[in-house]
Amino acid sequence: MGDLSDTSSRSGNSDFGEWEFVGRRGGEVVTLVGGSVLSTVPEAKQAAEKARRELRFDFLDDRAVLAMLHRRHIDEEDMFKAGLVHGVPLALVGSAAAVYWGGVAQYWETSAARTVYLTIAGAVVGAQLLFFVRSALSVWGDPVRQNLRARARSYREIAHIARRGGADVPAHYPHYGPYPFAAKFRPEADPLGQPESCESEGSDDDH
């Protein structure tokens, strides 16, 4: 699993303003909307309090939220890289094997030769598939990362509630989509003592 704690070196935080983060892989830098803004909408404040109890995270603590969003961005990059490194070779090898079978190998005269081809092609594609699955499980299926995604998804929902309630929240903020998978909160994997924990001291409303 990639280290999500080193936000300064991996997400380029040294180039950010104090309250800035990247809202989507390859996207623009976004300014954090303060918890004091979100909480002006009673429904959003209630949703944040409910999510805090369920996910052990203070969604109105600006510094904790900012650290969580930086980690979420790193996680998104890692997910993309994992899929690219093993998904692309799997697609290329699988496509090449299928094309060669359809255009050449199936017309070979002896069934033994065709069987040997299918065996070798199946083994190669199977190995690529194994690498892809292992990579998916190590990144997408990691329980600590799933907790991070669950919190990021909840924060997005809270922000959208606040915007619909009239708060000054930009459209699509925080500019990343929900995770339809791999975002289940797992209390047993909750890393105690992390900055994004709800144990943080109060919220910063001065931006």
Side-chain angles (χ1 to χ4, degrees):
M1 180 187 76
D3 183 6
L4 294 174
S5 62
D6 187 6
T7 57
S8 60
S9 63
R10 298 189 61 202
S11 62
N13 290 355
S14 59
D15 298 327
F16 291 166
E18 184 180 5
W19 297 105
E20 291 180 338
F21 66 96
V22 176
R24 145 187 333 272
R25 185 187 56 80
E28 297 179 355
V29 173
V30 181
T31 300
L32 184 78
V33 174
S36 59
V37 175
L38 302 181
S39 62
T40 58
V41 177
E43 293 82 358
K45 186 175 182 179
Q46 292 170 6
E49 291 172 350
K50 181 175 184 291
R52 173 175 179 157
R53 292 190 298 270
E54 294 177 350
L55 303 181
R56 303 176 181 179
F57 181 85
D58 188 351
F59 291 91
L60 300 180
D61 182 329
D62 295 337
R63 293 197 181 278
V65 168
L66 186 65
M68 180 267 291
L69 292 174
H70 283 310
R71 287 176 172 82
R72 187 218 57 81
H73 174 61
I74 292 173
D75 177 57
E76 188 176 73
E77 288 186 322
D78 288 345
M79 291 172 70
F80 176 79
K81 291 174 184 175
L84 189 66
V85 167
H86 297 293
V88 171
L90 174 60
L92 292 176
V93 171
S95 298
V99 168
Y100 192 77
W101 168 259
V104 179
Q106 68 172 326
Y107 301 111
W108 288 346
E109 293 184 1
T110 64
S111 60
R114 294 193 296 270
T115 300
V116 169
Y117 172 79
L118 289 175
T119 301
I120 294 175
V124 173
V125 172
Q128 292 288 345
L129 180 61
L130 177 62
F131 291 141
F132 180 79
V133 171
R134 287 181 60 186
S135 175
L137 290 176
S138 66
V139 178
W140 298 346
D142 182 85
V144 174
R145 289 175 180 267
Q146 288 188 12
N147 286 352
L148 172 67
R149 296 167 201 150
R151 287 167 173 161
R153 182 173 63 183
S154 260
Y155 178 71
R156 179 179 185 270
E157 293 169 354
I158 293 164
H160 283 205
I161 292 172
R163 182 173 184 272
R164 290 194 296 268
D168 186 15
V169 178
H172 308 298
Y173 177 87
H175 303 283
Y176 62 86
Y179 284 103
F181 62 92
K184 180 180 179 181
F185 185 71
R186 300 178 182 274
E188 72 280 2
D190 189 29
L192 299 178
Q194 291 297 320
E196 68 264 32
S197 169
C198 67
E199 317 276 325
S200 45
E201 301 178 357
S203 93
D204 295 290
D205 302 332
D206 56 347
H207 69 288

